[in-house]
């Protein structure tokens, strides 16, 4: 342990950067409770685009970036799921379908795209269509997130150029050479869209700025070619399972090779608490993340998502005052960073505060929240 302090002391507690959950489904959750629970930024990974486009900038919501509809093969996951409402799934059967589906999500304001490769639940995109989808998303300046489930699906995603896995792989123990390929540093120059990267976001040809997934503040430094969202607690919700054991083993080996793993819960999928989930942090600690790495996983995705202002169909007459930059405040002093159980419990007490430089008093602790 480096001995570097976790955060900055002040107001009877500790100030930290904003926390982000990189995998939620707000249509199945309470966004206000998410923010009250200490999460300032969320990435919604699949819902009805016309609904999702109304979330960014909403008072009392976290900052929201969204993918729009799940992009899947005809009859593929999650088209047959009762929780997926009409309009939340776009079926893609050909490369032309893929291009059109990407364009529809971008027009709705999507900051990235979500594709599903769930071979255990139905058809998946063929290689030509998947490659066309990823390539066109990159040409439009968007990263691509993939749900991979079933043997061989993680390898297919990487071969197609997918930027992020929505879950730490749990269907199989990934071979070391595949992990090494995913963990390689991601170069800006590896395709033209990333060559347009600037500042905290990257520009697409239409001059929209969009977050590049997996970079601290959107920067490329320290980011692996393929990043993973943790979602370890969905396997048993506190009760160990074989799938969680596989996922933790994959995370441990991926991180050891330099891979980037960010915090995410798949909120909306089962009994997952709103806000910072202590069980998710404990699972990451079990995978070998120390205290600074846990904090990094929580804060890496917290660059402000782009607003939906000016997106086609969004009511520009609704006045949404610009929110001050959020920060995290946790009551009390940080625990010993070598005591990871205590660190996880402490991080789970996080409170979101707007414009901490102007805070006149310490914010309410979790016990005092309404």
């Amino acid at each position: 342990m480096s001995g570097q302090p976790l955060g900055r002391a002040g107001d009877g507690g500790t100030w930290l950067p904003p926390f982000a959950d990189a995998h939620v489904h707000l249509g199945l959750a309470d966004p206000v409770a998410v923010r009250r629970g200490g999460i300032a930024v969320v990435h919604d990974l699949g819902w009805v685009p016309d609904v999702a486009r109304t979330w960014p900038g909403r008072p009392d919501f976290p900052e929201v970036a969204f993918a729009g509809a799940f992009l899947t093969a005809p009859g593929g996951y999650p088209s047959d799921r009762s929780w997926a409402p009409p309009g939340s799934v776009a079926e893609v059967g050909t490369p032309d379908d893929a291009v059109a589906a990407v364009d529809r999500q971008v027009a709705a304001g999507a900051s990235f795209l979500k594709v599903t490769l769930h071979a255990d639940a139905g058809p998946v995109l063929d290689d030509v269509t998947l490659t066309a989808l990823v390539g066109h998303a990159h040409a439009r300046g968007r990263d691509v997130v993939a749900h991979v489930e079933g043997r061989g699906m993680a390898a297919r995603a990487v071969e197609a150029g997918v930027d992020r896995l929505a879950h730490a792989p749990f269907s199989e123990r990934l071979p070391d050479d595949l992990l090494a390929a995913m963990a390689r540093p991601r170069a800006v120059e590896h395709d033209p869209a990333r060559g347009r990267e600037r500042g905290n976001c990257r520009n697409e040809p239409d001059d929209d700025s969009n977050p590049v997934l997996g970079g601290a503040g959107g920067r490329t430094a320290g980011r692996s070619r393929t990043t993973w969202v943790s979602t370890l607690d969905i396997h048993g919700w506190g009760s160990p399972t074989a799938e969680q054991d596989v996922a933790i083993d994959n995370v441990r080996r991926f991180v050891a090779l330099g891979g980037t793993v960010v915090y995410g819960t798949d909120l909306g999928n089962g009994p997952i608490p709103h806000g910072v989930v202590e069980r998710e942090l404990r699972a990451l600690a079990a995978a070998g993340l120390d205290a600074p790495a846990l904090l990094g996983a929580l804060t890496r995705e917290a660059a402000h998502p782009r607003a939906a202002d000016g997106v086609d169909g969004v009511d520009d007459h609704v006045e949404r005052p610009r929110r001050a930059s959020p920060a995290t405040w946790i009551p009390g002093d940080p625990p010993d960073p070598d005591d990871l159980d205590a660190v996880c419990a402490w991080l789970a007490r996080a409170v979101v505060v707007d414009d901490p430089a102007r805070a006149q008093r310490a914010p309410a602790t979790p016990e005092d929240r309404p």
Side-chain angles (χ1 to χ4, degrees):
M1 189 66 60
S2 66
Q4 184 176 3
L6 295 174
R8 175 178 59 82
D11 302 296
T14 303
W15 291 104
L16 295 161
F19 289 176
D21 188 331
H23 189 154
V24 305
H25 297 283
L26 287 187
L28 300 172
D30 179 353
V32 175
V34 173
R35 195 169 194 273
R36 285 179 178 169
I39 295 294
V41 177
V42 296
H43 291 179
D44 186 88
L45 296 189
W47 203 247
V48 182
D50 285 344
V51 175
R53 73 201 306 179
T54 69
W55 293 330
R58 292 276 292 272
D60 299 323
F61 278 33
E63 299 283 351
V64 181
F66 65 89
F70 297 89
L71 307 183
T72 191
Y77 174 85
S79 62
D80 62 345
R81 296 303 198 258
S82 61
W83 52 259
S88 64
V89 177
E91 296 187 350
V92 173
T94 68
D96 287 344
D97 290 344
V99 169
V102 168
D103 286 341
R104 287 195 301 271
Q105 310 319 305
V106 171
S111 292
F112 33 77
L113 283 301
K114 170 76 174 290
V115 62
T116 66
L117 299 173
H118 189 346
D120 293 341
V124 295
L125 300 182
D126 61 66
D127 289 340
V128 174
T129 302
L130 178 59
T131 300
L133 189 156
V134 174
H136 189 59
H138 288 170
R140 295 300 308 270
R142 267 65 173 181
D143 278 353
V144 179
V145 184
H147 174 117
V148 297
E149 190 167 352
R151 288 192 171 273
M153 292 301 102
R156 287 196 62 215
V158 173
E159 289 166 4
V162 162
D163 304 284
R164 164 163 293 176
L165 304 187
H167 304 277
F170 56 89
S171 299
E172 58 182 327
R173 189 178 193 269
L174 299 186
D176 290 342
D177 58 346
L178 178 57
L179 290 177
M182 287 190 273
R184 287 202 305 266
R186 178 174 170 180
V188 176
E189 297 79 10
H190 86 269
D191 69 45
R194 285 160 184 79
R196 288 190 291 273
E197 227 172 49
R198 181 183 62 155
N200 283 344
C201 299
R202 77 175 176 202
N203 287 342
E204 60 125 342
D206 300 329
D207 289 329
D208 291 333
S209 59
N210 298 282
V212 178
L213 299 176
R219 295 184 293 274
T220 57
R223 180 157 47 91
S224 57
R225 171 191 172 189
T226 310
T227 61
W228 297 5
V229 186
S230 59
T231 69
L232 298 170
D233 185 57
I234 59 169
H235 309 294
W237 302 298
S239 299
T241 66
E243 290 82 4
Q244 188 184 70
D245 289 344
V246 171
I248 287 176
D249 174 67
N250 282 330
V251 169
R252 180 183 296 109
R253 293 183 298 122
F254 181 57
V255 169
L257 291 168
T260 301
V261 176
V262 299
Y263 172 92
T265 62
D266 200 5
L267 178 66
N269 179 5
I272 299 170
H274 288 69
V276 182
V277 179
E278 183 177 346
R279 293 193 309 250
E280 187 69 35
L281 295 171
R282 288 178 181 273
L284 281 166
L289 275 68
D290 61 13
L294 290 172
L295 183 58
L298 277 164
T299 59
R300 183 176 285 271
E301 295 300 312
H304 281 296
R306 70 185 183 91
D309 296 342
V311 173
D312 293 343
V314 173
D315 187 355
D316 291 330
H317 299 292
V318 177
E319 185 174 351
R320 292 176 178 173
R322 184 176 295 277
R323 181 182 292 167
S325 298
T328 300
W329 183 86
I330 303 179
D333 296 328
D336 180 348
D338 291 324
D339 185 348
L340 290 180
D341 285 343
V343 169
C344 293
W346 179 73
L347 290 169
R349 300 178 64 199
V351 179
V352 179
V353 180
D354 288 326
D355 197 6
R358 299 180 183 177
Q360 298 301 309
R361 62 180 179 84
T365 65
E367 292 78 9
D368 296 331
R369 294 175 186 150

